[in-house]
Amino acid sequence: MKRIAILAETSLASGRQIVTGISRFLDERTDWSVFQHSGPLGAMDPNAISQWQGDGIIARIANPDLLALIQAKGLPTVDVLGNVSPQAFPLVKCNDQLIGASVAKHFIANTHRHFAFVGLGNERWSVEREKGFKDALMTHEGSVQTLHIDQHRSHDRTLGDSLHRVKAWLSKLQAPTGLMVASDQLAPIVFEACHQLGLAIPEHVSVVGVDNDRPFCNLCRPRLSSVEPNHELVGYRAAQILERLMHGEILERAVIEVSPYTLHQRLSSDLVAIDDPALLKALNYIREHASTGVNLNTIAQAAGLSRSVLQRRFRHRLNRTVGDVVLNEKLRVAREMLTETELSISLVAERSGFNCQEYMNHIFKKHLQTTPRKYRLR
């Protein structure tokens, strides 16, 4: 029986997904026994690993101190982070540059011309995501602004200080901006800064994160679009590599990168970039009020335009009528409720603005070629 230590912080979605991938590998075997450290790696007692005896280690090596503890064990080890240089062990990691490039392409597809990135300057994964994001935009007309913030509290950098910096930086950006945050955990400070500045998401600032921590993304308002990096496959491949190392194999490649799974588009980036202030006001009003009741008069009033001018601008800039946009917003809300909640279909119809289940059934069949019930089951 091989004894394996897994050192991955389970306080983050990335760490939990890596552990899930390793457990998939364990399901295929009967000769692994696992010691797992739970919680933040920074809180780990050094004795937890120094006194442990085993055959191999899989670890997110976040800092030199943890690297030294692992090196002292002298065991086959696979790193699943790659944050410490020089690289001491075989590394299985996400393709962070490809993650950044996928976000850039998403914003380009939404016709953005102004871009921004918020990340951590001292974390390798964040630096590589920033590079991938910027490299993908090199041949695209537009500007890219960058801000590095501290994700931790300290005696000289409080959360309030970081919020102040983010607000000052955001206030200078030209709307509409496509903004990538290096990790979902950095999104709340961006959302709060936008709220305090009166910047609408996604009308003024479209936001995309990384990790697709579903509960976290769904708590954001509007819900956060996010790239799923495929950390589960990282964990599975790391376990495969460790098995080979423990059998004495010499690896041909010291670094294996796993491509991202997909970009989950939610409302925080679900909008084509528009530089028409009146149109942005109309779209923001529709997003906030479509489920509770709007009409052409109230939307035109919110935009500061006449009904006829508003309709012309919608057709010219969006190739859709105001009514089309209102209906699409109701559909979006209904689809989210069917997917994320257990509300009855009749209550979903009421809360999404369709008022009755029969009308919502009709709209689903016409526009989605299915029924709300079948949509939920699927």
Side-chain angles (χ1 to χ4, degrees):
M1 183 70 71
K2 298 182 181 68
R3 292 174 53 79
I4 311 300
I6 302 174
L7 309 178
E9 69 277 35
T10 52
S11 58
L12 299 176
S14 53
R16 294 192 299 272
Q17 291 163 4
I18 287 173
V19 171
T20 300
I22 297 170
S23 70
R24 276 181 48 211
F25 182 82
L26 262 64
D27 290 340
E28 302 169 4
R29 315 193 61 81
T30 59
D31 59 346
W32 274 34
S33 174
V34 170
F35 161 78
Q36 179 195 346
H37 165 73
S38 297
L41 290 180
M44 185 174 71
D45 182 353
N47 290 329
I49 187 65
S50 61
Q51 295 181 5
W52 170 82
Q53 299 297 319
D55 302 287
I57 298 171
I58 299 174
R60 283 172 62 88
I61 303 177
N63 52 62
D65 292 339
L66 181 57
L67 173 63
L69 286 173
I70 294 173
Q71 286 179 315
K73 301 300 295 183
L75 296 173
T77 298
V78 179
D79 185 6
V80 286
L81 182 61
N83 210 41
V84 179
S85 296
Q87 184 182 316
F89 301 109
L91 172 65
V92 182
K93 62 184 287 291
C94 297
N95 190 326
D96 291 298
Q97 291 195 40
L98 199 57
I99 288 171
S102 70
V103 178
K105 292 175 182 177
H106 171 70
F107 287 141
I108 291 172
N110 281 1
T111 70
H112 279 282
R113 291 184 296 167
H114 306 289
F115 309 91
F117 180 91
V118 174
L120 307 172
N122 59 350
E123 296 285 342
R124 178 175 170 180
W125 52 266
S126 178
V127 171
E128 290 189 0
R129 290 172 188 178
E130 179 182 342
K131 184 177 187 305
F133 183 69
K134 289 182 174 179
D135 285 353
L137 296 170
M138 285 183 63
T139 59
H140 187 75
E141 181 182 353
S143 59
V144 184
Q145 304 298 322
T146 301
L147 177 68
H148 295 152
I149 60 176
D150 189 348
Q151 65 175 337
H152 305 293
R153 292 174 179 264
S154 66
H155 67 280
D156 59 349
R157 176 65 55 79
T158 65
L159 185 60
D161 293 332
S162 295
L163 178 60
H164 179 75
R165 289 184 63 226
V166 174
K167 284 177 60 179
W169 177 75
L170 279 174
S171 66
K172 298 175 183 178
L173 298 184
Q174 185 170 346
T177 292
L179 190 156
M180 176 182 179
V181 290
S183 172
D184 292 346
Q185 61 185 306
L186 301 177
I189 195 169
V190 172
F191 275 55
E192 178 60 23
C194 286
H195 174 72
Q196 292 189 18
L197 290 170
L199 296 174
I201 300 173
E203 289 82 4
H204 295 114
V205 182
S206 288
V207 186
V208 176
V210 182
D211 282 339
N212 194 43
D213 190 331
R214 283 177 60 91
F216 183 90
C217 292
N218 289 344
L219 282 175
C220 292
R221 285 295 183 268
R223 286 183 170 90
L224 177 66
S225 297
S226 185
V227 178
E228 188 169 346
N230 215 352
H231 280 114
E232 184 173 331
L233 184 56
V234 168
Y236 184 85
R237 294 293 300 277
Q240 288 180 319
I241 297 299
L242 182 60
E243 177 74 8
R244 292 168 59 188
L245 291 175
M246 291 189 298
H247 280 95
E249 279 194 48
I250 304 298
L251 299 181
E252 294 182 1
R253 288 195 299 162
V255 179
I256 295 175
E257 290 190 306
V258 172
S259 296
Y261 177 65
T262 190
L263 191 158
H264 296 271
Q265 181 172 310
R266 302 183 178 94
L267 184 55
S268 72
S269 69
D270 186 18
L271 186 71
V272 173
I274 299 169
D275 56 5
D276 183 327
L279 208 54
L280 286 174
K281 289 179 181 178
L283 291 169
N284 188 41
Y285 184 85
I286 290 170
R287 177 170 59 82
E288 292 184 352
H289 300 282
S291 298
T292 56
V294 295
N295 57 53
L296 186 56
N297 287 330
T298 59
I299 298 169
Q301 184 177 2
L305 300 172
S306 69
R307 290 160 43 115
S308 59
V309 171
L310 181 68
Q311 285 282 32
R312 283 200 300 270
R313 290 198 187 180
F314 265 69
R315 290 193 182 98
H316 175 67
R317 299 300 302 273
L318 303 177
N319 198 30
R320 290 184 291 176
T321 68
V322 175
D324 291 337
V325 175
V326 172
L327 183 62
N328 285 341
E329 178 62 18
K330 292 179 179 180
L331 267 174
R332 184 195 64 77
V333 174
R335 291 163 67 181
E336 276 191 358
M337 288 184 175
L338 290 169
T339 302
E340 304 293 345
T341 78
E342 296 182 3
L343 293 173
S344 68
I345 292 177
S346 61
L347 200 52
V348 169
E350 178 184 336
R351 293 188 179 180
S352 59
F354 288 107
N355 298 327
C356 70
Q357 184 175 336
E358 290 75 14
Y359 180 52
M360 186 170 75
N361 287 344
H362 169 73
I363 294 298
F364 265 68
K365 288 177 182 178
K366 180 179 179 180
H367 292 270
L368 304 176
Q369 292 75 53
T370 188
T371 65
R373 180 177 178 276
K374 289 179 180 178
Y375 184 88
R376 168 171 276 172
L377 291 174
R378 185 179 65 190

